[in-house]
Every structure is written in structure tokens, then in C-alpha cells.
Amino acid sequence: MPEQTMTAAGSRTVRFGYHGSTEVASRIIRLAGREAAGVQLSEYDIADPFRGVRAGELDVMIVKFAIREPDLVSSRVLTEDARAVVVGSGHPLAARASVSIEDLAGHDAFAPPGGFPAYVWDDVVPPRTPAGRPIRRNRRGRTVPEMMRMVAAGEALHISLISFADIAPPGIKVVPIHDLPPAPVTLAWRRGAEAHDHIREFITTAEAEASR
């Protein structure tokens, strides 16, 4: 599991789960006033996203879109991540400055990977456009690299987030979707974990700064 650690004397490390780009995670760490304090970044598995917090291996994790997990708690919205479609560089949409979600109807997209919650995936990759046209979520990939190999080969596109541009591999284009609202970004943690002072301080400081 890739990790990046920021340490500071006198501060207890917050184990922070993220997925994809670290830019959004860094934004939240700054909100929490922890640029120089101890934060250990660990990338979680998209196919089993909540395992780390449930196992007590992570204190908090980034969540994009709302979750309904009875054993987990979410913060207020801390920031947003704009929507985008990920396509191969040879795809007809790759040269566009932006696309409509309606442009993506009729293209092959991905079903939820592994144990990713289906109700959250409906927000990530909507089953239908606002006009009611189906999006074919008929491709399966368990990991992001596997999905991106399929995208680069022109076998599918992936409806995602603009932050993916930070980690897009060669042969991939990330095109903004101009008519989907951005994803709300929150923190999630195991119910009761906020009883630990360093976790509670991290969460409440980030929330307070985000609401300014």
C-alpha cells in the first residue's frame, strides 16, 4: 500500500486514507492545520474502500459523495471535486474542451469494482443521463490500473473526477463534464474513533476552516 508520511515532533500521527490523486487529501490536511504535523497518507483499495477504517488501520479517509454505512460517520462537506470523463487519447471525445453527460450515453462504462458500494457508484457513474438515456455500465475492472488499460485500449470510458488528471497514465485524456455537479468531499471514520483527541481535533479543525 503506497504511503507518504509527514511528521512533526509532539504531534500524534493521523492515519489518513485517500484514493487517486493526493491533491485533494493535501487540501484537507491544510484545512486541518496539519501541513507540518504528522499525517500518514495511505492509498486504499477502490474494490474494498472501507476496510482500512473498519479494521482500525486508518483513522480517517476521504469520501466523495454521500455514504450510508451504519458503522461509519461522515464529516461536513470540506471541499469539492469537479466531474470529468476519462477516455483513451484516440477516443472521439478526447479532443473536446468539455463534454455533456448526455454525450456519454451509449458508450461502454464500468460496473462497480469489487465490493465498492453500488449506491455510491450510482453517483460516480450514473446509470442514466438526466434525459433518461442509459449509460452502459457493462465493463468490469477490479483495480484502477486494470480499468485504465481498458480505457487506453478504447474498450470503455470512465466517468470520474477532475483530480484524476493528476495521476492519469500515458494514453489517457481527462475531459471535464460541464453539466454534472461536483462531487462533495468529506471525511469518514469508524463510529467512536472521534473519541481519540488527535482524530477529533483533525476533523473539527478541517470542518471549521472549510466553513469560513
Side-chain angles (χ1 to χ4, degrees), residues 64-170:
K64 299 178 182 181
F65 301 104
I67 61 169
R68 303 190 302 271
E69 304 294 317
D71 60 329
L72 303 182
V73 185
S74 296
S75 72
R76 302 173 189 168
V77 174
L78 301 178
T79 186
E80 294 179 333
D81 200 353
R83 305 307 310 279
V85 63
V86 184
V87 296
S89 56
H91 194 280
L93 298 176
R96 300 269 291 272
S98 70
V99 297
S100 166
I101 185 63
E102 299 296 337
D103 296 327
L104 309 183
H107 292 275
D108 289 341
F110 290 99
F116 193 97
Y119 72 90
V120 181
W121 197 253
D122 284 347
D123 289 327
V124 181
V125 183
R128 293 184 176 274
T129 71
R133 301 168 65 202
I135 294 173
R136 296 199 303 256
R137 305 186 303 177
N138 56 3
R139 298 291 180 172
R140 293 195 174 274
R142 189 188 181 281
T143 67
V144 171
E146 181 181 355
M147 293 164 70
M148 290 306 102
R149 285 193 292 271
M150 296 170 69
V151 169
E155 298 174 15
L157 53 74
H158 179 44
I159 301 171
S160 184
L161 301 154
I162 201 69
S163 62
F164 192 87
D166 296 338
I167 59 166

Side-chain angles (χ1 to χ4, degrees), residues 163-183:
S163 62
F164 192 87
D166 296 338
I167 59 166
I172 296 292
K173 295 291 185 182
V174 180
V175 183
I177 299 173
H178 57 72
D179 55 356
L180 279 185

Side-chain angles (χ1 to χ4, degrees), residues 6 16-19 21-31 39 41 62 64 79 185 202:
M6 290 175 261
F16 189 115
Y18 76 99
H19 176 72
S21 169
T22 61
E23 192 278 328
V24 176
S26 296
R27 206 183 307 168
I28 294 173
I29 291 167
R30 289 193 296 272
L31 287 173
V39 176
L41 289 179
I62 283 182
K64 299 178 182 181
T79 186
V185 181
F202 187 91

